[in-house]
Amino acid sequence: MAVVVLANPKGGAGKSTTALVLATTLAAQGASITVIDCDPNRPILKWKGRRSTHSPVGVIGDVSEANIIKVIERESTLRQFVFVDLEGTASKLVSRAISRADLVLVPIQPSPLDSEEGGRALALLAEEEEVLKRRIPSAVVLTRTNPAIKTRHERAIISGLERAGLRLLHTQLNHRQAYQAMFLHGSTLNELDTSEVNGIAEAQRNALSLASELIEVLAPEPANVLECV
């Protein structure tokens, strides 16, 4: 029902981490979820392969520019949320996925290079809007941030986005060991062992806050989507 596309031409911006954290957090609240893994390295598909138990999130990795629209449309009729983790390049596949988005989420790290590449993603979005003759909602989320200290680059990026009138999520995806441990162990945050991984509770609170804000951004959506969180 709600299609969230994660886009940034720069690799390592936090797209896959953001997608997995949001998907598993919403699934833990009872939502039905599919992640379409378009990253050439297939990090979320590998996450699913490492799991020893049934996945709370459906993951699809066999996608191409020829079938991406059909896959998105099919899954959006079956699931309450579809997350599309895009490859880190500007391509026809990226363009087609964006064309079906209810929200384009642009993860960026608080650095000048990430900010510049995030701008490219928003420029691509603007091109799609012109072709489709409709507005595609978008928002920027800062990733891998220090929860205690706001850096100079972070403050500059926030000011620049505000001046440009772009939407920035208030919740940032903080740099947490638990997020990386999810990929390593094929786990959700709730499945991680507190004796092996530090800061799980803090990561859970951060993830829930981000997922809750995502719901607010997606509103108004059908009630059965919004009632999941």
Side-chain angles (χ1 to χ4, degrees), residues 183-203:
F183 287 94
L184 179 63
H185 300 294
S187 301
T188 67
L189 288 173
N190 295 340
E191 294 166 343
L192 292 174
D193 189 337
T194 56
S195 67
E196 296 179 355
V197 182
N198 294 325
I200 294 175
E202 291 83 355

Side-chain angles (χ1 to χ4, degrees), residues 51-62:
R51 292 186 57 78
S52 58
T53 60
H54 175 70
S55 174
V57 173
V59 183
I60 298 173
D62 185 19

Side-chain angles (χ1 to χ4, degrees), residues 115 122 152-168:
S115 179
L122 291 167
R152 176 171 57 86
H153 289 312
E154 185 179 328
R155 291 194 296 270
I157 289 170
I158 291 172
S159 296
L161 291 169
E162 290 174 346
R163 287 196 301 271
L166 299 173
R167 184 165 196 165
L168 173 67

Side-chain angles (χ1 to χ4, degrees), residues 11 51 64 99 108 111 126 132 136 172 184 197 203:
R51 292 186 57 78
S64 66
S99 75
I108 62 173
S111 72
L132 297 170
I136 303 174
Q172 302 173 2
L184 179 63
V197 182

Side-chain angles (χ1 to χ4, degrees), residues 19-154:
L20 184 60
V21 168
L22 285 170
T24 54
T25 300
L26 288 167
Q29 302 300 309
S32 56
I33 309 287
T34 291
V35 176
I36 302 174
D37 189 350
C38 301
D39 188 311
N41 295 317
R42 300 291 189 264
I44 299 180
L45 196 62
K46 291 176 182 176
W47 167 85
K48 181 182 178 182
R50 292 189 181 100
R51 292 186 57 78
S52 58
T53 60
H54 175 70
S55 174
V57 173
V59 183
I60 298 173
D62 185 19
V63 290
S64 66
E65 65 181 42
N67 70 357
I68 183 65
I69 288 179
K70 289 183 180 179
V71 173
I72 290 174
E73 291 181 342
R74 181 191 70 217
E75 293 303 310
S76 66
T77 65
L78 300 173
R79 309 295 183 193
Q80 290 167 303
F81 293 89
V82 177
F83 291 92
V84 186
D85 181 22
L86 290 177
E87 59 188 351
T89 58
S91 66
K92 187 175 290 186
L93 184 150
V94 170
S95 176
R96 289 179 174 177
I98 287 175
S99 75
R100 292 301 185 270
D102 295 304
L103 175 71
V104 175
L105 195 57
V106 183
I108 62 173
Q109 293 188 60
S111 72
L113 179 58
D114 271 63
S115 179
E116 181 179 339
E117 293 300 316
R120 288 180 56 199
L122 291 167
L124 177 61
L125 172 61
E127 292 175 9
E128 290 300 317
E129 289 180 323
E130 185 175 354
V131 170
L132 297 170
K133 304 298 182 185
R134 73 173 180 89
R135 178 178 172 272
I136 303 174
S138 64
V140 174
V141 56
L142 292 181
T143 63
R144 297 178 182 170
T145 58
N146 187 320
I149 302 172
K150 195 180 295 294
T151 66
R152 176 171 57 86
H153 289 312
E154 185 179 328

